Each structure stands twice: as C-alpha cells, then as structure tokens.
Amino acid sequence: VTHENYVTMIDFVQNLIEHDINSVSRISALAYSFDNQDLYYFGDDQTSREGILSAYNIEKLHANYAGYTTDTYNAVLRGAEMFQNGIIPNADQNFVFLLTDGRPDCADGNDPNCREDLCEFGTATADGQTLINALADYNIRLYILGIGNFA
C-alpha cells in the first residue's frame, strides 16, 4: 500500500474509534509491515479516545513508512500478545481487527520471522496452530478487513 493509502486506512480506523466503538471498550493498537510498532496499549489512558487518536495522528506523520511487506502472522500474534498483560480478562469477548491491503507478503523473503504459509489446504501449519492457540487462549475473535483497490 502506498503511504497515501496507509493514511486513508488510519483515517478509517480513527473514524471507527470516534464513532463506532463503545466508549467503555478498551483499545490497543499497532501498526505493521515488516515490523510491528505498538501505538497504544490496553493499559494506557482509556478515559477518552484522545490518546489513541493522537497516537494515530503521529503515525500518519512518520516518514519511516515502509510498505511492501504484509506480515499478517506476526501482526495478529502481537495483537493476541497485547491481551496477555492481565488488564483484559480472557473470559471477556475479545476482538482483533486486522486491516490489510492484501494477502500476507514477505516481500524479498529476507526476514526469517515473516510467515505467508499459515494454512495448507485448510490445515493449519505449526505457525498457524500457534496463532490459533494464542487467539483461543484469550477468547479472541479475529476479523480481517481488506482495504484498497487491489489492483
């Protein structure tokens, strides 16, 4: 995704936070490409949405936007790990929303931690099973939303 489309995705998320997510719901956020960048934690101030919206505004201004890599495995795994801080009970109905511009893509393949092959003909690989277990341990439902023109 281009930097312009990345900013459009952030605008979409900010709009969801401002208008659609219940004010008592705790929010944590990260940005991902070839690396995960934690933007906001469940333990950060949740009394208003200003903190997370500000974190996203700062993210839009960063000149270190990378693009070209879509490491969804590590993004979802990090999303599940963010629940492990003890603030969010695993008995709650928890959600991870993954916004992406396409399929998992490790670009040049130089990152040995990047994963594209989580399923093989409907059967989870070892990495896929690790991800499934992490989500199940914290009662997390995973929602994936593709944004872009996919040209």
Side-chain angles (χ1 to χ4, degrees):
V1 67
T2 64
H3 186 265
E4 180 181 345
N5 287 342
Y6 182 63
V7 169
T8 299
M9 289 174 66
I10 291 174
D11 290 340
F12 177 82
V13 171
Q14 287 180 304
N15 188 50
L16 282 175
I17 291 168
E18 287 182 284
H19 303 288
D20 297 308
I21 296 178
N22 188 315
S23 63
V24 298
S25 298
R26 290 190 158 293
I27 299 176
S28 187
L30 64 93
Y32 74 99
S33 178
F34 66 92
D35 191 12
N36 291 324
Q37 178 185 356
D38 296 344
L39 301 178
Y40 208 74
Y41 298 94
F42 291 121
D44 290 338
D45 181 18
Q46 301 279 331
T47 58
S48 77
R49 296 299 190 211
E50 292 306 311
I52 191 166
L53 295 172
S54 176
Y56 273 119
N57 283 331
I58 292 168
E59 177 65 15
K60 286 194 279 190
L61 298 175
H62 277 166
N64 64 350
Y65 170 76
Y68 305 113
T69 302
T70 307
D71 187 0
T72 52
Y73 168 77
N74 284 303
V76 174
L77 188 60
R78 178 65 190 129
E81 289 170 351
M82 292 176 109
F83 284 89
Q84 297 174 7
N85 61 15
I87 292 171
I88 306 296
N90 59 353
D92 280 359
Q93 291 191 26
N94 299 312
F95 303 93
V96 167
F97 292 94
L98 174 72
L99 275 65
T100 183
D101 67 325
R103 65 174 184 76
D105 184 359
C106 293
D108 58 15
N110 288 330
D111 182 355
N113 295 317
C114 187
R115 297 286 177 265
E116 294 179 356
D117 56 344
L118 299 180
C119 293
E120 294 171 353
F121 305 107
T123 303
T125 62
D127 287 330
Q129 193 60 51
T130 297
L131 189 57
I132 290 167
N133 293 343
L135 294 170
D137 287 347
Y138 286 87
N139 194 30
I140 299 169
R141 294 180 189 161
L142 174 63
Y143 294 92
I144 301 171
L145 178 62
I147 296 180
N149 62 12
F150 305 101

